[in-house]
Short mmCIF file of all heavy atoms in Angstrom, two decimals:
data_model
loop_
_atom_site.label_atom_id
_atom_site.label_comp_id
_atom_site.label_asym_id
_atom_site.label_seq_id
_atom_site.Cartn_x
_atom_site.Cartn_y
_atom_site.Cartn_z
N VAL L 315 98.00 59.06 94.17
CA VAL L 315 98.27 60.35 93.56
C VAL L 315 99.58 60.90 94.11
O VAL L 315 100.43 61.43 93.37
CB VAL L 315 97.18 61.32 93.85
CG1 VAL L 315 97.53 62.75 93.51
CG2 VAL L 315 95.91 60.97 92.98
N LEU L 316 99.85 60.78 95.40
CA LEU L 316 101.05 61.36 95.96
C LEU L 316 102.27 60.56 95.50
O LEU L 316 103.28 61.17 95.26
CB LEU L 316 100.96 61.32 97.50
CG LEU L 316 99.86 62.23 98.16
CD1 LEU L 316 100.10 62.14 99.70
CD2 LEU L 316 99.97 63.66 97.69
N ASP L 317 102.12 59.32 95.37
CA ASP L 317 103.22 58.52 94.92
C ASP L 317 103.57 58.85 93.43
O ASP L 317 104.75 58.89 93.05
CB ASP L 317 102.95 56.98 95.02
CG ASP L 317 102.91 56.52 96.50
OD1 ASP L 317 103.39 57.33 97.37
OD2 ASP L 317 102.37 55.42 96.75
N LEU L 318 102.55 59.06 92.60
CA LEU L 318 102.73 59.44 91.23
C LEU L 318 103.47 60.75 91.13
O LEU L 318 104.46 60.90 90.37
CB LEU L 318 101.41 59.58 90.50
CG LEU L 318 100.79 58.28 89.93
CD1 LEU L 318 99.37 58.52 89.49
CD2 LEU L 318 101.59 57.73 88.76
N LEU L 319 103.07 61.72 91.94
CA LEU L 319 103.67 63.04 91.91
C LEU L 319 105.10 62.96 92.40
O LEU L 319 106.02 63.56 91.83
CB LEU L 319 102.86 63.97 92.75
CG LEU L 319 101.43 64.38 92.17
CD1 LEU L 319 100.57 65.05 93.22
CD2 LEU L 319 101.64 65.26 90.91
N HIS L 320 105.33 62.20 93.47
CA HIS L 320 106.68 62.15 94.03
C HIS L 320 107.59 61.48 93.03
O HIS L 320 108.74 61.86 92.86
CB HIS L 320 106.62 61.38 95.30
CG HIS L 320 107.97 61.21 95.95
ND1 HIS L 320 108.76 62.28 96.33
CD2 HIS L 320 108.74 60.08 96.25
CE1 HIS L 320 109.98 61.87 96.81
NE2 HIS L 320 109.91 60.53 96.79
N GLY L 321 107.09 60.40 92.37
CA GLY L 321 107.91 59.74 91.36
C GLY L 321 108.31 60.60 90.20
O GLY L 321 109.32 60.37 89.60
N ALA L 322 107.52 61.62 89.91
CA ALA L 322 107.82 62.54 88.87
C ALA L 322 108.62 63.78 89.35
O ALA L 322 108.92 64.76 88.58
CB ALA L 322 106.49 63.09 88.24
N GLY L 323 108.98 63.79 90.68
CA GLY L 323 109.72 64.87 91.13
C GLY L 323 108.93 66.12 91.38
O GLY L 323 109.47 67.19 91.46
N ILE L 324 107.63 65.97 91.62
CA ILE L 324 106.66 67.11 91.80
C ILE L 324 106.32 67.16 93.27
O ILE L 324 105.79 66.20 93.87
CB ILE L 324 105.40 67.00 90.89
CG1 ILE L 324 105.83 67.08 89.48
CG2 ILE L 324 104.50 68.15 91.24
CD1 ILE L 324 104.77 66.63 88.52
N GLY L 325 106.57 68.28 93.92
CA GLY L 325 106.20 68.42 95.34
C GLY L 325 104.75 68.66 95.54
O GLY L 325 104.05 69.13 94.63
N VAL L 326 104.26 68.45 96.81
CA VAL L 326 102.82 68.55 97.06
C VAL L 326 102.65 69.53 98.24
O VAL L 326 103.38 69.41 99.25
CB VAL L 326 102.23 67.16 97.43
CG1 VAL L 326 100.77 67.35 97.97
CG2 VAL L 326 102.26 66.29 96.20
N ASP L 327 101.77 70.42 98.05
CA ASP L 327 101.24 71.34 99.12
C ASP L 327 99.96 70.63 99.52
O ASP L 327 98.94 70.87 98.91
CB ASP L 327 100.97 72.68 98.54
CG ASP L 327 100.22 73.63 99.46
OD1 ASP L 327 100.38 73.50 100.63
OD2 ASP L 327 99.57 74.51 98.91
N LEU L 328 99.98 69.84 100.55
CA LEU L 328 98.90 69.04 100.93
C LEU L 328 97.88 69.77 101.86
O LEU L 328 98.26 70.30 102.93
CB LEU L 328 99.30 67.74 101.67
CG LEU L 328 98.21 66.65 101.92
CD1 LEU L 328 97.47 66.24 100.70
CD2 LEU L 328 98.78 65.52 102.66
N ALA L 329 96.66 69.80 101.46
CA ALA L 329 95.66 70.61 102.12
C ALA L 329 94.87 69.79 103.21
O ALA L 329 94.57 68.59 102.90
CB ALA L 329 94.67 71.25 101.13
N THR L 330 94.54 70.41 104.28
CA THR L 330 93.50 69.80 105.10
C THR L 330 92.23 70.10 104.43
O THR L 330 91.99 71.24 103.94
CB THR L 330 93.54 70.44 106.52
OG1 THR L 330 93.22 71.83 106.45
CG2 THR L 330 94.88 70.21 107.15
N PRO L 331 91.29 69.19 104.35
CA PRO L 331 90.11 69.33 103.52
C PRO L 331 88.94 70.02 104.20
O PRO L 331 87.78 69.82 103.80
CB PRO L 331 89.72 67.87 103.22
CG PRO L 331 90.09 67.14 104.45
CD PRO L 331 91.33 67.90 104.94
N THR L 332 89.23 70.91 105.13
CA THR L 332 88.16 71.50 105.91
C THR L 332 87.43 72.70 105.21
O THR L 332 86.59 73.38 105.84
CB THR L 332 88.74 72.02 107.26
OG1 THR L 332 89.95 72.81 106.99
CG2 THR L 332 89.18 70.79 108.12
N ALA L 333 87.82 72.98 104.00
CA ALA L 333 87.16 74.07 103.27
C ALA L 333 85.70 73.65 102.88
O ALA L 333 84.86 74.49 102.60
CB ALA L 333 87.91 74.44 101.98
N SER L 334 85.46 72.31 102.88
CA SER L 334 84.17 71.83 102.41
C SER L 334 83.76 70.59 103.23
O SER L 334 84.11 69.50 102.88
CB SER L 334 84.21 71.52 100.92
OG SER L 334 82.96 71.15 100.46
N PRO L 335 82.91 70.76 104.26
CA PRO L 335 82.46 69.67 105.01
C PRO L 335 81.58 68.71 104.14
O PRO L 335 80.80 69.22 103.33
CB PRO L 335 81.64 70.24 106.17
CG PRO L 335 81.30 71.65 105.67
CD PRO L 335 82.44 72.12 104.80
N PRO L 336 81.66 67.42 104.36
CA PRO L 336 80.97 66.48 103.50
C PRO L 336 79.46 66.46 103.88
O PRO L 336 79.04 66.86 104.98
CB PRO L 336 81.57 65.11 103.85
CG PRO L 336 82.14 65.35 105.24
CD PRO L 336 82.53 66.73 105.29
N PRO L 337 78.60 66.04 102.88
CA PRO L 337 77.14 66.17 103.13
C PRO L 337 76.69 65.31 104.38
O PRO L 337 75.74 65.78 105.04
CB PRO L 337 76.57 65.59 101.81
CG PRO L 337 77.61 65.91 100.79
CD PRO L 337 78.92 65.80 101.47
N TRP L 338 77.35 64.16 104.58
CA TRP L 338 76.93 63.38 105.74
C TRP L 338 77.15 64.16 107.03
O TRP L 338 76.32 63.94 108.03
CB TRP L 338 77.57 61.98 105.74
CG TRP L 338 79.07 62.06 105.90
CD1 TRP L 338 79.99 61.94 104.90
CD2 TRP L 338 79.90 62.25 107.13
NE1 TRP L 338 81.28 61.98 105.40
CE2 TRP L 338 81.23 62.17 106.70
CE3 TRP L 338 79.57 62.47 108.42
CZ2 TRP L 338 82.25 62.38 107.65
CZ3 TRP L 338 80.57 62.62 109.37
CH2 TRP L 338 81.89 62.54 108.92
N LEU L 339 78.17 64.95 107.09
CA LEU L 339 78.43 65.70 108.37
C LEU L 339 77.40 66.79 108.59
O LEU L 339 76.85 66.98 109.73
CB LEU L 339 79.83 66.27 108.32
CG LEU L 339 80.27 67.16 109.48
CD1 LEU L 339 80.18 66.36 110.77
CD2 LEU L 339 81.66 67.75 109.27
N LEU L 340 77.07 67.48 107.52
CA LEU L 340 76.02 68.52 107.67
C LEU L 340 74.64 67.97 107.93
O LEU L 340 73.88 68.61 108.62
CB LEU L 340 76.00 69.42 106.37
CG LEU L 340 77.32 70.17 106.08
CD1 LEU L 340 77.23 70.91 104.85
CD2 LEU L 340 77.70 71.09 107.26
N ARG L 341 74.34 66.81 107.40
CA ARG L 341 73.09 66.16 107.67
C ARG L 341 73.02 65.73 109.15
O ARG L 341 71.98 65.84 109.78
CB ARG L 341 72.88 65.02 106.81
CG ARG L 341 71.49 64.30 106.93
CD ARG L 341 71.34 63.05 106.02
NE ARG L 341 70.07 62.45 106.19
CZ ARG L 341 69.66 61.33 105.54
NH1 ARG L 341 70.59 60.65 104.78
NH2 ARG L 341 68.53 60.85 105.73
N ALA L 342 74.12 65.29 109.71
CA ALA L 342 74.13 64.76 111.06
C ALA L 342 74.16 65.94 112.05
O ALA L 342 73.61 65.87 113.16
CB ALA L 342 75.33 63.90 111.30
N HIS L 343 74.82 67.06 111.62
CA HIS L 343 75.02 68.22 112.55
C HIS L 343 74.65 69.49 111.77
O HIS L 343 75.56 70.23 111.34
CB HIS L 343 76.46 68.21 113.06
CG HIS L 343 76.83 67.02 113.78
ND1 HIS L 343 76.38 66.72 115.07
CD2 HIS L 343 77.63 65.95 113.42
CE1 HIS L 343 76.95 65.60 115.50
NE2 HIS L 343 77.65 65.12 114.50
N PRO L 344 73.44 69.77 111.44
CA PRO L 344 73.09 70.96 110.65
C PRO L 344 73.47 72.24 111.35
O PRO L 344 73.58 73.29 110.67
CB PRO L 344 71.51 70.78 110.47
CG PRO L 344 71.11 69.93 111.59
CD PRO L 344 72.20 68.97 111.82
N GLY L 345 73.71 72.24 112.67
CA GLY L 345 74.12 73.46 113.34
C GLY L 345 75.50 73.95 112.90
O GLY L 345 75.87 75.06 113.26
N ILE L 346 76.20 73.09 112.20
CA ILE L 346 77.54 73.55 111.70
C ILE L 346 77.36 74.65 110.67
O ILE L 346 78.22 75.51 110.56
CB ILE L 346 78.24 72.31 111.07
CG1 ILE L 346 78.71 71.39 112.17
CG2 ILE L 346 79.43 72.74 110.18
CD1 ILE L 346 79.37 70.12 111.63
N LEU L 347 76.28 74.73 109.96
CA LEU L 347 76.10 75.66 108.86
C LEU L 347 75.94 77.07 109.41
O LEU L 347 75.30 77.28 110.42
CB LEU L 347 74.91 75.30 108.02
CG LEU L 347 75.02 74.03 107.12
CD1 LEU L 347 73.72 73.54 106.68
CD2 LEU L 347 75.87 74.46 105.89
N PRO L 348 76.56 78.03 108.82
CA PRO L 348 76.52 79.43 109.33
C PRO L 348 75.07 80.02 109.26
O PRO L 348 74.22 79.59 108.47
CB PRO L 348 77.44 80.24 108.46
CG PRO L 348 78.36 79.14 107.80
CD PRO L 348 77.49 77.94 107.67
N VAL L 349 74.80 81.00 110.09
CA VAL L 349 73.59 81.80 110.16
C VAL L 349 73.86 83.23 109.79
O VAL L 349 74.74 83.84 110.26
CB VAL L 349 72.93 81.68 111.62
CG1 VAL L 349 71.71 82.56 111.67
CG2 VAL L 349 72.57 80.22 111.90
N ARG L 350 72.99 83.66 108.83
CA ARG L 350 73.09 85.06 108.43
C ARG L 350 72.56 86.06 109.52
O ARG L 350 71.96 85.59 110.49
CB ARG L 350 72.28 85.30 107.19
CG ARG L 350 72.79 84.59 105.89
CD ARG L 350 72.01 85.22 104.73
NE ARG L 350 72.40 84.53 103.47
CZ ARG L 350 71.72 83.61 102.86
NH1 ARG L 350 70.60 83.17 103.41
NH2 ARG L 350 72.17 83.11 101.69
N ALA L 351 72.80 87.31 109.30
CA ALA L 351 72.42 88.33 110.27
C ALA L 351 70.88 88.38 110.38
O ALA L 351 70.35 88.76 111.45
CB ALA L 351 72.91 89.69 109.86
N ASP L 352 70.21 87.97 109.31
CA ASP L 352 68.66 87.96 109.43
C ASP L 352 68.10 86.73 110.02
O ASP L 352 66.83 86.55 110.08
CB ASP L 352 68.11 88.12 107.98
CG ASP L 352 68.36 87.00 107.04
OD1 ASP L 352 69.03 86.03 107.48
OD2 ASP L 352 68.03 87.09 105.88
N GLY L 353 69.02 85.84 110.55
CA GLY L 353 68.54 84.65 111.21
C GLY L 353 68.45 83.39 110.33
O GLY L 353 68.13 82.40 110.88
N THR L 354 68.50 83.49 109.04
CA THR L 354 68.39 82.30 108.24
C THR L 354 69.66 81.57 108.11
O THR L 354 70.79 82.13 108.10
CB THR L 354 68.00 82.75 106.78
OG1 THR L 354 69.01 83.62 106.22
CG2 THR L 354 66.69 83.47 106.78
N ARG L 355 69.57 80.28 108.19
CA ARG L 355 70.76 79.36 108.17
C ARG L 355 71.05 79.03 106.71
O ARG L 355 70.19 78.73 105.94
CB ARG L 355 70.49 78.11 108.98
CG ARG L 355 71.76 77.27 109.19
CD ARG L 355 71.51 76.07 110.02
NE ARG L 355 71.11 76.45 111.46
CZ ARG L 355 72.01 76.75 112.37
NH1 ARG L 355 73.33 76.70 112.17
NH2 ARG L 355 71.54 77.01 113.56
N LEU L 356 72.37 79.12 106.37
CA LEU L 356 72.71 78.73 105.02
C LEU L 356 72.48 77.24 104.78
O LEU L 356 72.55 76.45 105.68
CB LEU L 356 74.19 79.06 104.78
CG LEU L 356 74.62 80.48 104.84
CD1 LEU L 356 76.14 80.64 104.65
CD2 LEU L 356 73.90 81.33 103.74
N GLY L 357 72.18 76.94 103.53
CA GLY L 357 72.01 75.56 103.19
C GLY L 357 73.34 74.94 102.78
O GLY L 357 74.34 75.55 102.58
N ALA L 358 73.25 73.59 102.64
CA ALA L 358 74.49 72.91 102.17
C ALA L 358 74.66 73.13 100.67
O ALA L 358 73.76 73.54 99.99
CB ALA L 358 74.38 71.40 102.49
N GLY L 359 75.86 72.88 100.20
CA GLY L 359 76.08 72.91 98.74
C GLY L 359 77.08 73.97 98.34
O GLY L 359 77.49 74.03 97.18
N GLY L 360 77.53 74.82 99.28
CA GLY L 360 78.53 75.85 98.94
C GLY L 360 79.87 75.34 99.41
O GLY L 360 80.21 74.12 99.47
N ARG L 361 80.69 76.28 99.77
CA ARG L 361 82.03 75.95 100.33
C ARG L 361 82.18 76.82 101.63
O ARG L 361 81.57 77.77 101.80
CB ARG L 361 83.16 76.17 99.34
CG ARG L 361 83.28 77.57 98.93
CD ARG L 361 84.54 77.69 97.96
NE ARG L 361 84.69 79.06 97.62
CZ ARG L 361 85.73 79.52 96.88
NH1 ARG L 361 86.68 78.63 96.55
NH2 ARG L 361 85.94 80.76 96.50
N LEU L 362 83.11 76.28 102.45
CA LEU L 362 83.31 76.95 103.78
C LEU L 362 81.98 77.09 104.48
O LEU L 362 81.72 78.11 105.18
CB LEU L 362 83.99 78.37 103.58
CG LEU L 362 85.48 78.22 103.19
CD1 LEU L 362 85.86 79.20 102.12
CD2 LEU L 362 86.41 78.41 104.46
N GLY L 363 81.15 76.10 104.36
CA GLY L 363 79.85 76.14 105.05
C GLY L 363 79.95 75.56 106.44
O GLY L 363 79.32 74.58 106.81
N TRP L 364 80.67 76.31 107.26
CA TRP L 364 80.77 75.98 108.67
C TRP L 364 80.99 77.18 109.54
O TRP L 364 81.52 78.16 109.08
CB TRP L 364 81.94 74.95 108.84
CG TRP L 364 83.24 75.30 108.20
CD1 TRP L 364 83.69 74.93 106.96
CD2 TRP L 364 84.30 76.15 108.79
NE1 TRP L 364 84.90 75.45 106.70
CE2 TRP L 364 85.32 76.23 107.80
CE3 TRP L 364 84.49 76.83 109.97
CZ2 TRP L 364 86.52 76.92 107.97
CZ3 TRP L 364 85.62 77.61 110.13
CH2 TRP L 364 86.63 77.61 109.19
N CYS L 365 80.57 77.04 110.74
CA CYS L 365 80.67 78.10 111.77
C CYS L 365 81.91 77.70 112.69
O CYS L 365 82.00 76.59 113.28
CB CYS L 365 79.48 78.12 112.66
SG CYS L 365 79.65 79.06 114.17
N PRO L 366 82.90 78.60 112.75
CA PRO L 366 84.13 78.21 113.57
C PRO L 366 83.90 78.03 115.12
O PRO L 366 84.69 77.52 115.78
CB PRO L 366 85.08 79.42 113.29
CG PRO L 366 84.12 80.57 112.98
CD PRO L 366 82.97 79.95 112.23
N SER L 367 82.71 78.51 115.57
CA SER L 367 82.39 78.48 116.96
C SER L 367 81.63 77.17 117.27
O SER L 367 81.33 76.97 118.49
CB SER L 367 81.59 79.68 117.44
OG SER L 367 82.33 80.85 117.18
N ASN L 368 81.20 76.41 116.30
CA ASN L 368 80.40 75.24 116.57
C ASN L 368 81.21 74.12 117.08
O ASN L 368 82.18 73.68 116.40
CB ASN L 368 79.64 74.85 115.28
CG ASN L 368 78.79 73.64 115.49
OD1 ASN L 368 79.28 72.51 115.31
ND2 ASN L 368 77.52 73.82 115.77
N PRO L 369 80.88 73.54 118.29
CA PRO L 369 81.80 72.41 118.81
C PRO L 369 81.74 71.18 117.96
O PRO L 369 82.80 70.48 117.94
CB PRO L 369 81.19 72.18 120.21
CG PRO L 369 79.83 72.73 120.15
CD PRO L 369 79.83 73.91 119.14
N ASP L 370 80.69 70.86 117.32
CA ASP L 370 80.66 69.66 116.44
C ASP L 370 81.61 69.87 115.35
O ASP L 370 82.29 68.91 114.85
CB ASP L 370 79.25 69.36 115.96
CG ASP L 370 78.32 68.91 117.02
OD1 ASP L 370 78.67 68.16 117.91
OD2 ASP L 370 77.15 69.40 117.01
N TRP L 371 81.65 71.04 114.76
CA TRP L 371 82.59 71.35 113.59
C TRP L 371 84.03 71.15 114.07
O TRP L 371 84.82 70.52 113.41
CB TRP L 371 82.36 72.71 113.10
CG TRP L 371 83.47 73.19 112.27
CD1 TRP L 371 84.44 74.11 112.53
CD2 TRP L 371 83.83 72.70 110.92
NE1 TRP L 371 85.34 74.20 111.56
CE2 TRP L 371 84.97 73.34 110.54
CE3 TRP L 371 83.23 71.67 110.15
CZ2 TRP L 371 85.66 73.05 109.34
CZ3 TRP L 371 83.91 71.42 108.94
CH2 TRP L 371 85.03 72.11 108.50
N ARG L 372 84.31 71.80 115.29
CA ARG L 372 85.75 71.68 115.69
C ARG L 372 86.13 70.21 115.94
O ARG L 372 87.22 69.84 115.53
CB ARG L 372 85.86 72.48 117.00
CG ARG L 372 87.25 72.53 117.57
CD ARG L 372 88.31 73.16 116.71
NE ARG L 372 88.06 74.54 116.37
CZ ARG L 372 88.32 75.62 117.19
NH1 ARG L 372 89.02 75.34 118.33
NH2 ARG L 372 88.05 76.82 116.80
N ARG L 373 85.25 69.47 116.53
CA ARG L 373 85.62 68.04 116.79
C ARG L 373 85.81 67.24 115.56
O ARG L 373 86.83 66.60 115.41
CB ARG L 373 84.49 67.43 117.68
CG ARG L 373 84.63 65.96 117.95
CD ARG L 373 83.58 65.51 118.99
NE ARG L 373 82.28 65.96 118.67
CZ ARG L 373 81.45 65.16 117.90
NH1 ARG L 373 81.83 63.99 117.45
NH2 ARG L 373 80.22 65.55 117.62
N HIS L 374 84.89 67.34 114.57
CA HIS L 374 85.04 66.62 113.38
C HIS L 374 86.16 67.06 112.48
O HIS L 374 86.85 66.32 111.85
CB HIS L 374 83.70 66.59 112.63
CG HIS L 374 82.68 65.61 113.18
ND1 HIS L 374 82.74 64.29 112.84
CD2 HIS L 374 81.63 65.82 114.06
CE1 HIS L 374 81.77 63.73 113.52
NE2 HIS L 374 81.06 64.58 114.21
N SER L 375 86.34 68.38 112.39
CA SER L 375 87.41 68.93 111.51
C SER L 375 88.77 68.51 111.99
O SER L 375 89.64 68.16 111.20
CB SER L 375 87.27 70.45 111.46
OG SER L 375 87.50 71.11 112.66
N LEU L 376 88.99 68.58 113.32
CA LEU L 376 90.29 68.16 113.79
C LEU L 376 90.51 66.64 113.69
O LEU L 376 91.62 66.18 113.60
CB LEU L 376 90.46 68.58 115.27
CG LEU L 376 90.48 70.11 115.51
CD1 LEU L 376 90.84 70.44 116.96
CD2 LEU L 376 91.33 70.86 114.56
N ARG L 377 89.43 65.86 113.68
CA ARG L 377 89.59 64.41 113.51
C ARG L 377 90.06 64.10 112.14
O ARG L 377 91.01 63.30 111.96
CB ARG L 377 88.19 63.77 113.81
CG ARG L 377 88.25 62.24 113.68
CD ARG L 377 86.88 61.72 113.98
NE ARG L 377 85.85 62.27 113.21
CZ ARG L 377 85.47 62.02 111.99
NH1 ARG L 377 86.27 61.10 111.28
NH2 ARG L 377 84.54 62.56 111.30
N ILE L 378 89.56 64.73 111.05
CA ILE L 378 90.02 64.47 109.71
C ILE L 378 91.47 65.02 109.50
O ILE L 378 92.26 64.42 108.83
CB ILE L 378 89.05 65.06 108.64
CG1 ILE L 378 89.48 64.60 107.17
CG2 ILE L 378 88.96 66.57 108.68
CD1 ILE L 378 89.44 63.16 107.00
N VAL L 379 91.78 66.12 110.16
CA VAL L 379 93.17 66.67 110.04
C VAL L 379 94.10 65.70 110.75
O VAL L 379 95.21 65.45 110.16
CB VAL L 379 93.22 68.06 110.75
CG1 VAL L 379 94.69 68.52 110.83
CG2 VAL L 379 92.40 69.11 109.95
N ARG L 380 93.78 65.20 111.83
CA ARG L 380 94.59 64.19 112.54
C ARG L 380 94.83 62.98 111.71
O ARG L 380 95.97 62.43 111.59
CB ARG L 380 94.04 63.83 113.93
CG ARG L 380 94.93 62.87 114.71
CD ARG L 380 94.51 62.78 116.11
NE ARG L 380 94.84 64.08 116.82
CZ ARG L 380 96.02 64.35 117.34
NH1 ARG L 380 97.08 63.48 117.16
NH2 ARG L 380 96.26 65.50 117.86
#
Side-chain angles (χ1 to χ4, degrees):
V315 167
L316 295 188
D317 290 345
L318 278 170
L319 291 166
H320 180 62
I324 299 170
V326 172
D327 169 32
L328 187 58
T330 63
T332 51
S334 185
W338 61 259
L339 178 59
L340 297 179
R341 184 180 181 187
H343 302 285
I346 287 175
L347 289 162
V349 173
R350 294 191 180 101
D352 64 4
T354 60
R355 190 177 295 276
L356 294 179
R361 61 177 182 172
L362 289 137
W364 47 266
C365 165
S367 301
N368 180 274
D370 292 320
W371 165 253
R372 180 63 61 86
R373 175 168 53 88
H374 281 278
S375 63
L376 296 189
R377 182 176 53 78
I378 187 63
V379 171
R380 180 165 294 278

